[in-house]
Amino acid sequence: MIKAIVGANWGDEGKGKITDMLSQEADIIVRFQGGSNAGHTIKNNYGKFALHMLPSGVFYSHTTSILGNGVALNIPYMCREIKALTDQGVPKPHILVSDRAQILMPYHILFDECEEERLAGKAFGSTKSGIAPFYSDKYAKTGFQVQELFMERAALREKVERILVQKNILLKHLYNRPELKGDDVMKTLEEYRDMVEPYVCDTAEFLHQALADGKQILLEGQLGALKDTDHGIYPMVTSSSTLAAYGAIGAGVPPYAITDIITVVKAYSSAVGGGAFVSEILDEAEAEELRKRGGDGGEYGATTGRPRRVGWFDAVATRYGCMTQGTTEVAFTVMDPLGYLDEIPICMGYEIDGKVTDRFPNTTGLERAKPVLRKLPGWKCDISGIREFDKLPAEAQNYVNEIERLIGFPITYVSNGPGRDDIIKRTPQL
C-alpha cells in the first residue's frame, strides 16, 4: 500500500511532521519531486531539523529513504544533510538514489541567480537553488542522469562540450558572465560520481519488489498544489508537479497502488515568493504578529530564512488544492499559534469584478480577486498538549468542524504543536 503526503496550498503546510509521524509504521519513504529549494522542518527526540533534500523518514532505523527519478538531485547537499544528521546523533539513514534521477549542477544555481537578477522587479521570487534551470535542462534533454556519471569518460566529455556551447553563449552574451570550462564541469561530475556511488540503485525495481512483498510506502511531496506547474498559480509556480498523481511518475510506481492521499492543510495561510495570495494580511503589524507566533519558531523559510507572507485560512484555495490532489483525508496543522486571537477570519469566497464566487479561478481571475471574510470566535488559550479532540475548547472544535465543512474533505489529524507527538486523531464529521 502507498500513501502520498502532499500539500493543499503554497507549501509550508507541515508535511515534514506528518511524514515523520507516519514513518513510524512505514517501511519506505520516497521523495518524488522538487529539490533543495524548500525545506521540511521536523522536531523530534533528536532535536530540530530542516531537511531539504532527504525524505522526512530518515530518523527511523527501520526505514529506507529513497530519492526518486523525479527529484532535482543536489548531490553535495544530500551528503551534507546525511552528515548533519549523524553529527547530531541520528543513526546513519539507509538512503537509495535512483539511477535515473537528474543531477542539479552548480551552473543551474548560477543561471537561476543570473535570471532573477536580469528580471529585477519582475522576478519570480526564486530561492535561487537552480530548480527552474535544472528542470529546463531535464526536459530539453540537456541534463545529466545519475547513470551517466558511470558512462565511458570520452562519451561523457563529448556531452559536456556539446552542452557548454549553449550555456556559454547565454553566459557571455545575455548575462555578461565568465564562460564555463569543460575541465571544471568534468571534475565536478567525477566528484559527484564518487559521492553518490554508494547510494545508487534501480529504485523503481526496488519499489515494485517492495509492493509485491507487502511493504508500507510513503510518498513525500514538496510545496503544495497551488505551486504545481500545470494546476497552480502559473507562472508563480515551481518547475515540477507537486501533485500526488505525479508520485507514480517521480517514484516509478503504479498509479493504482497509491491508495491514500493525505493532504496537509494549514490552519492559516503562508507563502514564500511572489504570486496571487488573496487572503494575505496586508497590515504589516498584524501580519508580523501572526508570523512571529506561527510555524515552529516563526514563519521564516527553512531554506532562505526570509519572512513568509501570511494570511487567513483560505477555504476557496484549500478546497481546490484538495480537489487537485485527489485527497482521501486531511491533516490539519499549525493550529496552536491562533490562540492569541479574539476572532479568527476565514476567507469564504472571492469577489471578482463585483461577483462573489467560491470557485478557485485561473491566475488571470485570481489577480483581480478580493477576499470575502467571515470571523469565527477565537479560543484565547494555549491548546498545545491536548491529545483528544473533544478536550479542545469548543471554539477550537468549531473552527476545525467549520473548515472541514467548507473544504468538503475529511479532517483526520489535527496538529497542535511542533513535536512529533503533538497530534490529535479525529473522527471526521463528513
Side-chain angles (χ1 to χ4, degrees):
M1 182 175 115
I2 300 179
K3 293 182 179 180
I5 302 163
V6 288
N9 301 117
W10 300 265
D12 310 309
E13 298 98 344
K15 296 180 293 297
K17 174 182 174 175
I18 301 303
T19 305
D20 177 54
M21 177 192 73
L22 295 176
S23 295
Q24 297 177 70
E25 300 176 358
D27 300 298
I28 301 165
I29 302 92
V30 187
R31 272 287 304 277
F32 64 85
Q33 50 83 219
S36 58
N37 53 315
H40 291 161
T41 302
I42 297 171
K43 187 175 182 180
N44 56 32
N45 297 336
Y46 293 106
K48 181 180 176 181
F49 302 85
L51 299 179
H52 301 81
M53 199 71 257
L54 297 178
S56 297
V58 291
F59 299 98
Y60 296 96
S61 57
H62 70 275
T63 62
T64 297
S65 293
I66 291 178
L67 295 171
N69 55 278
V71 302
L73 181 66
N74 187 327
I75 293 174
Y77 216 120
M78 179 194 76
C79 294
R80 285 198 299 270
E81 282 196 352
I82 294 171
K83 184 177 185 303
L85 291 177
T86 57
D87 285 350
Q88 290 183 248
V90 179
K92 187 174 182 179
H94 183 212
I95 307 290
L96 297 178
V97 174
S98 171
D99 56 358
R100 297 177 185 270
Q102 294 262 331
I103 301 164
L104 189 138
M105 297 293 291
Y107 58 72
H108 290 137
I109 298 171
L110 171 63
F111 276 98
D112 203 352
E113 293 169 347
C114 289
E115 184 64 5
E116 286 288 287
E117 181 181 309
R118 186 185 72 84
L119 291 171
K122 295 185 178 180
F124 292 104
S126 168
T127 60
K128 300 178 183 178
S129 302
I131 300 301
F134 164 89
Y135 279 109
S136 296
D137 277 3
K138 176 175 180 175
Y139 292 108
K141 299 177 283 292
T142 54
F144 295 98
Q145 282 192 349
V146 167
Q147 52 92 9
E148 291 180 289
L149 295 175
F150 304 95
M151 67 193 295
E152 199 273 326
R153 181 182 171 87
L156 181 60
R157 180 70 188 228
E158 188 277 329
K159 181 172 180 177
V160 166
E161 295 297 342
R162 175 164 39 89
I163 289 171
L164 290 190
V165 172
Q166 179 198 56
K167 299 300 179 192
N168 284 334
I169 288 172
L170 290 172
L171 285 171
K172 182 177 180 179
H173 298 289
L174 181 61
Y175 298 124
N176 194 29
R177 295 292 188 96
E179 296 181 39
L180 299 170
K181 295 181 173 60
D183 288 345
D184 294 339
V185 175
M186 283 295 294
K187 181 180 178 182
T188 295
L189 291 170
E190 289 165 359
E191 290 172 350
Y192 284 6
R193 178 197 60 207
D194 295 340
M195 295 165 73
V196 79
E197 186 171 13
Y199 307 104
V200 177
C201 82
D202 183 341
T203 56
E205 179 66 30
F206 179 89
L207 288 167
H208 278 259
Q209 186 60 52
L211 283 170
D213 294 340
K215 301 293 187 182
Q216 298 292 308
I217 300 171
L218 299 181
L219 302 180
E220 182 182 29
Q222 182 204 58
L223 295 168
L226 304 183
K227 289 291 186 178
D228 181 74
T229 310
D230 292 292
H231 298 278
I233 54 172
Y234 187 88
M236 298 298 187
V237 293
T238 192
S239 300
S240 64
S241 176
T242 61
L243 302 186
Y246 186 75
I249 299 168
V253 296
Y256 57 79
I258 304 173
T259 56
D260 195 4
I261 298 172
I262 302 172
T263 304
V264 186
V265 169
K266 210 169 192 173
Y268 55 93
S269 297
S270 68
V272 172
F277 187 15
V278 178
S279 69
E280 184 172 12
I281 301 171
L282 299 178
D283 181 278
E284 184 51 36
E286 190 177 12
E288 182 59 25
E289 186 66 23
L290 178 56
R291 185 180 296 118
K292 73 181 183 182
R293 294 172 180 271
D296 178 23
E299 288 291 352
Y300 303 93
T303 300
T304 62
R306 63 186 175 185
R308 296 184 182 124
R309 301 158 69 192
V310 294
W312 306 119
F313 182 84
D314 188 330
V316 179
T318 303
R319 182 170 56 249
Y320 173 79
C322 288
M323 177 188 75
T324 56
Q325 289 290 11
T327 301
T328 59
E329 56 184 304
V330 169
F332 193 62
T333 63
V334 204
M335 187 169 164
D336 46 303
L338 300 178
Y340 74 100
L341 292 161
D342 294 316
E343 294 181 309
I344 307 175
I346 294 177
C347 180
M348 312 279 291
Y350 295 167
E351 181 185 331
I352 304 175
D353 300 333
K355 296 181 179 180
V356 175
T357 181
D358 63 357
R359 300 298 176 93
F360 192 76
N362 59 38
T363 308
T364 302
L366 202 61
E367 296 288 358
R368 305 196 305 275
K370 299 176 183 178
V372 177
L373 301 174
R374 179 162 71 88
K375 294 180 179 179
L376 295 181
W379 45 92
K380 294 296 291 180
C381 66
D382 181 8
I383 61 171
S384 60
I386 297 174
R387 295 291 180 269
E388 297 176 45
F389 188 74
D390 60 5
K391 299 292 177 63
L392 289 171
E395 296 84 357
Q397 293 183 47
N398 182 57
Y399 187 72
V400 177
N401 293 338
E402 180 64 8
I403 283 173
E404 182 181 62
R405 185 188 69 80
L406 288 169
I407 64 175
F409 292 89
I411 296 176
T412 56
Y413 296 100
V414 176
S415 172
N416 61 342
R420 176 184 286 169
D421 299 323
D422 293 329
I423 200 84
I424 299 169
K425 293 185 178 181
R426 173 182 179 272
T427 302
Q429 296 189 1
L430 294 177

